[in-house]
Amino acid sequence: MANTLTVLLVGAGLSLGGFWVYGNRSRDVENVSLRPEPVPLVMSQRSYPLCSRTTRRNCVVDGDTFYTAKDKIRISDIDAPETHPPRCAEEADLGDRATNRLSELLSAGAFELVSAGRDEDRYGRKLRVVMRKGRSIGDILVSEGIARTWTGRRQPWCSENDGSFG
């Protein structure tokens, strides 16, 4: 009888001790993220000229797309006017301005590429927010009136009165 009582007490102690050491794990699961926090990729300072037919490394395609050494990046927090092809003269002008300004901004110093949501778009471009010193480069383009904040779908850049290219 004494041995049975000892076994019961030791078993209960081990059970309570395990609960004390490991705690209530079901409560802790709520605090565990299933997706790791995105780690920004820091891009060192270099020149980002406009892309050409032969240059596809560290260059700017248009106002919201550029190449790094190994990836094609689509700036995910903005929409810039199309340049390939523009649909009207207004879009062509804004698109050229956005493209040249993005080249200037990327070439001005080191920046970070931060993942935000989906990793890639349907064209295989990496979707990233481009940050420098805590500010989105996309926000700079938006504040200058040559890009829009991305709302989830493209909107036209051409007014009804602007002559269409096709």
Side-chain angles (χ1 to χ4, degrees):
M1 175 85 171
N3 285 341
T4 305
L5 185 57
T6 303
V7 169
L8 287 174
L9 288 175
V10 169
L14 288 174
S15 295
L16 289 174
F19 182 81
W20 179 77
V21 170
Y22 295 105
N24 183 353
R25 290 313 215 186
S26 63
R27 182 187 65 207
D28 294 341
V29 170
E30 297 170 13
N31 299 324
V32 174
S33 173
L34 298 178
R35 296 173 68 191
E37 284 295 315
V39 177
L41 175 62
V42 178
M43 303 303 293
S44 61
Q45 183 171 356
R46 65 183 60 211
S47 177
Y48 281 82
L50 302 184
C51 295
S52 68
R53 288 181 185 239
T54 57
T55 303
R56 293 289 185 205
R57 287 178 60 108
N58 303 319
C59 62
V60 174
V61 175
D62 60 25
D64 58 20
T65 307
F66 64 98
Y67 282 94
T68 62
K70 61 179 185 167
D71 293 314
K72 190 172 188 180
I73 307 294
R74 166 69 165 80
I75 302 176
S76 63
D77 61 342
I78 63 168
D79 178 37
E82 293 302 318
T83 59
H84 305 291
R87 291 170 186 82
C88 61
E90 180 181 6
E91 184 172 39
D93 177 57
L94 284 172
D96 287 344
R97 289 173 43 206
T99 302
N100 289 320
R101 183 65 173 132
L102 180 59
S103 175
E104 290 173 10
L105 290 168
L106 294 178
S107 298
F111 56 87
E112 296 178 342
L113 297 176
V114 181
S115 181
R118 288 187 311 156
D119 186 52
E120 291 184 354
D121 68 6
R122 63 183 173 176
Y123 304 108
R125 300 176 296 188
K126 300 288 186 186
L127 297 171
R128 301 291 184 267
V129 175
V130 183
M131 303 289 292
R132 177 178 292 123
K133 297 180 181 175
R135 184 168 186 203
S136 162
I137 286 180
D139 285 348
I140 294 170
L141 295 169
V142 169
S143 73
E144 294 176 0
I146 51 179
R148 293 186 186 123
T149 301
W150 178 249
T151 61
R153 60 174 230 219
R154 294 195 178 277
Q155 297 183 17
W157 288 92
C158 302
S159 64
E160 288 184 31
N161 298 332
D162 195 1
S164 176
F165 287 167

